Amino acid sequence: MNLELSDEQEFLRDAARDALGRVKTVDAAREALEDPAQRPDLWPTACEAGWAGLLVGEEGGGAGLGAFDAMLVAMEAGRVLAGVELLGHLPASALLDAGQYGGLSAVAEGTRRAALLAARPPGGLDGDAWTVEPRSGSRRADAPRAEGDRVSGTVTWVPDAPGADVLVVVTGDGTALAVDAGQEGVSVEPVMRYDATRSLGHVTLDAVHGETLQVTPEQVSHAWYLAQVLLAAEAVGTVERCLTDAVAYAKERFTFGRAIGSYQAVKHALVEVLRRRENAYSLLVYAGWSYEDRRDEFPLAASAARSSAGRALDFATRELISVHGGIGATWEHDAPLFFRRAQLSRRLLGGAGEATDRVAGELLARVAA
Amino acid sequence: MDLNDTPEQAAYRERVRGWLAEHASEAPRENLPEEEVVPARRAWQRRLAEAGLAAVTWPKEFGGQGLGPIEQVIIGQEFSDAGVPGILDVIGVGMLGPTIMAHGSDEQKSRYLGPMLHADEVWCQLFSEPAAGSDLAAVQARARQQDDGSWRLSGQKVWTTNAQFSAYGLLLARTDADVPKHKGLTMFIVPMDAEGVTIRGLRQISGEAEFNEVFFDDVRLDPDATVGGVGAGWGTALTTLMFERLTIGSGVEGLGYRPERFAEAIASDPHAAHDREVRRRLGEVGSELLSIRFAGYRLLSQLQSGSIPGPEAGLAKITTVAAAIEAADLVTDVLGPDALSEDDQFAYITSFLPGLKSAGGTEEILRNTIGERVLGLPPEPRLDKGIPFSELRAREREAIS
């Protein structure tokens, strides 16, 4: 048994921390709220670091690394609120690789960026079809449909869709097609809500040409769950950052003659952040291991990681504000930037609540089998 | 990222499996009459000791195998898969034996460790008192040395597992009340059949008595009954507590609160299995319980790479207890009053967990320790530092009156 990071993984993590540390991403998160153009373009950084091909096999021109390696990079992005377009690209690239997509090497290099128009696999209480995010409200929307090599439909709140070159579209019956985003009939409307660190878009496809990928529905569903664990990993990185900042302040801020961190109420709340971080991280480990060695458990592991990390993120970002008192809730402080990203992240790709329901569904299915 | 055995571990697992294939039938049967359980489990521990499976982490010179925690875990997994119990005296072999090895005299090691290993003599831990739990250094059991070098012990201990059939107990007593509380303590070996020792079962919420209260009324102890030196009892106790943390930390998964167990009960009610609120609760506690499994693997991986887990390992205990309480609560909500039948497994969990919250130190104190030692937060104000224990007690009495 060995669950410690390997030397290569430590190197990958440190290199990511270093590369993302060269850009003032947290400051940019504030500026971009007023002017979205201020969001730094981190894609060149990603390509240079080799992250674009992280999940593409070596024969396809990638690094052939595992899901946990991708999570390590996502954690670093979450730590500094970096809007690097991996959430869309990495799951899409894994499907393009599995489906032996012709233009794979450019995707692995990052010269052509991919985005996943993710659909939620059937299961849960929603019936047998694959569904996508609704533009508004709680009712799931139908995934796009394909007729021959033509695909039509609308997918909203798609991570990293603006500017992507290849869109991997999942249809209502769980097939996946690669769509060239440059063609006529593809429209991507950039959208911004509450947090300016992420690129999101509403995508409409009108009988556009798609190349059907030779992948199984299981592989398609694992792309959805891969996106779930990347969101979870980002969240764990943010939680760690919130904990570090809150602990530092609790040591230096004094009231009634004592550092506030010596008060049990504050101390216990910070330990609670740590406890939630540890649980979420353990589930990232579970997800990483199952992706390599026990693929049938990956949906359970990924959903549990997303659920746990989502709740940890909510708790940690609120606690960061509370420990700082009133100032933590103002524009003067960074805490609201972490809070804003947390609020949006928790609602993306089905939301953390949907992941929680999947955990229940998977557990119930296991004991019924 | 590898959960598989190394070739050496796989070979060891094969050996354990091979032994079990041959001998599992000799293990104590389930549902033995109550009076036969302890004798059967003692005999089984003796059998395991002879096979080299009872104390694998003990050094060879004391009858162990000189192996690591991973081999211990492999034994636990294989025994659990085979449905046979492990050793009876987990407290003696896991915590008290190692303490005697670290602090005891040569005579004590050669006298006590062998019979402990073979369950000829079972041991109990006599640390906690009604007024000294998380603040263990506040123990009031008093041992006074006599002119002939022997000791006289009076006081009360509580939460004593196995006391009713133990031969010996390791007991923390105050030997000097005029120095600050951590300094005036001494560890003793106490024969449980000595005159003046009274053992009483302590019934818990479930109605069962898994623990005891033990009373000492002017009990005479031999001059050589001390372990680790007079006045050095706190250091000796810390050794036991470190082994206790290892036993509890790597053991929470062994409590059997797997998420599937709760899911099964809910799946038995098709309506509940399709209820959004039930599913939300199951998904949340299910995630927590799954995380414990992997926190356990992470702990093992750390142990295997040679590092001793810090107090943060205690977080897994907090999560386990809290999540299992919620899970049992959910199942009871779904199944209704039937789940509170006295012989129901979920009623037992419901009854057992409120006490487990404080086992090995209360959750509040555990959170203090982790906050201070792991996060580096400033300590709680301490009003007892450097003050003689007798004066502390006087202040307490004054504050109450």
Side-chain angles (χ1 to χ4, degrees), chain A residues 14-44:
Chain A
D14 294 349
R17 195 171 293 180
D18 191 44
L20 295 171
R22 279 184 233 127
V23 185
K24 292 197 176 315
T25 45
V26 177
D27 292 345
R30 181 182 284 104
E31 288 157 17
L33 278 171
E34 296 184 302
D35 173 13
Q38 297 301 314
R39 197 174 69 82
D41 180 8
L42 294 169
W43 191 244

Side-chain angles (χ1 to χ4, degrees), chain B residues 257-280:
Chain B
Y257 302 136
R258 299 170 72 84
E260 290 85 354
R261 181 171 174 188
F262 300 98
E264 215 156 62
I266 290 163
S268 70
D269 180 341
H271 176 75
H274 288 88
D275 182 277
R276 278 195 192 277
E277 176 65 6
V278 169
R279 290 167 67 98
R280 183 187 63 74

Side-chain angles (χ1 to χ4, degrees), chain B residues 97-322:
Chain B
T99 305
I100 291 173
M101 285 175 215
H103 301 280
S105 66
D106 289 343
E107 290 73 25
Q108 288 169 336
K109 291 177 204 171
S110 63
R111 163 63 188 85
Y112 295 115
L113 293 175
M116 177 192 284
L117 176 59
H118 292 84
D120 294 331
E121 293 165 353
V122 175
W123 283 64
C124 60
Q125 180 189 11
L126 299 160
F127 284 19
S128 295
E129 295 181 5
S134 295
D135 184 10
L136 183 62
V139 294
Q140 293 173 37
R142 191 74 166 86
R144 289 189 168 81
Q145 194 155 28
Q146 310 298 300
D147 292 341
D148 64 355
S150 69
W151 298 82
R152 288 284 173 174
L153 167 71
S154 290
Q156 183 194 346
K157 296 290 176 179
V158 74
W159 310 123
T160 317
T161 307
N162 298 350
Q164 69 276 31
F165 51 83
S166 284
Y168 291 96
L170 193 69
L171 181 142
L172 187 64
R174 186 158 308 280
T175 45
D176 184 352
D178 297 326
V179 292
K181 63 181 184 181
H182 292 87
K183 298 203 165 117
L185 300 169
T186 303
M187 195 70 83
F188 291 90
I189 292 173
V190 180
M192 297 301 284
D193 60 358
E195 204 181 321
V197 177
T198 308
I199 300 162
R200 247 190 245 154
L202 187 57
R203 288 181 84 186
Q204 300 148 261
I205 299 174
S206 68
E208 290 181 34
E210 284 160 285
F211 300 102
N212 299 280
E213 304 176 281
V214 186
F215 301 85
F216 302 89
D217 182 13
D218 206 28
V219 176
R220 185 189 175 279
L221 300 173
D222 288 336
D224 59 0
T226 62
V227 178
V230 174
W234 185 245
T236 309
L238 286 182
T239 300
T240 312
L241 296 179
M242 188 191 79
F243 284 103
E244 180 176 32
R245 202 163 71 209
L246 281 179
T247 311
I248 292 180
S250 53
V252 284
E253 240 259 295
L255 286 169
Y257 302 136
R258 299 170 72 84
E260 290 85 354
R261 181 171 174 188
F262 300 98
E264 215 156 62
I266 290 163
S268 70
D269 180 341
H271 176 75
H274 288 88
D275 182 277
R276 278 195 192 277
E277 176 65 6
V278 169
R279 290 167 67 98
R280 183 187 63 74
R281 291 170 67 187
L282 176 63
E284 288 189 1
V285 296
S287 300
E288 297 271 291
L289 293 170
L290 283 170
S291 79
I292 288 304
R293 195 180 296 174
F294 279 79
Y297 294 147
R298 285 173 61 204
L299 185 74
L300 281 179
S301 176
Q302 257 185 310
L303 285 169
Q304 180 169 305
S305 66
S307 43
I308 300 283
E312 69 274 16
L315 291 170
K317 189 211 147 195
I318 295 178
T319 298
T320 304
V321 176

Side-chain angles (χ1 to χ4, degrees), chain A residues 1-2 267 275 357 366, chain B residues 2 4 260 279 319 372:
Chain A
M1 170 164 331
N2 183 9
K267 188 175 289 170
R275 187 187 73 82
D357 187 77
R366 282 175 133 202
Chain B
D2 183 6
N4 299 322
E260 290 85 354
R279 290 167 67 98
T319 298
E372 290 163 22

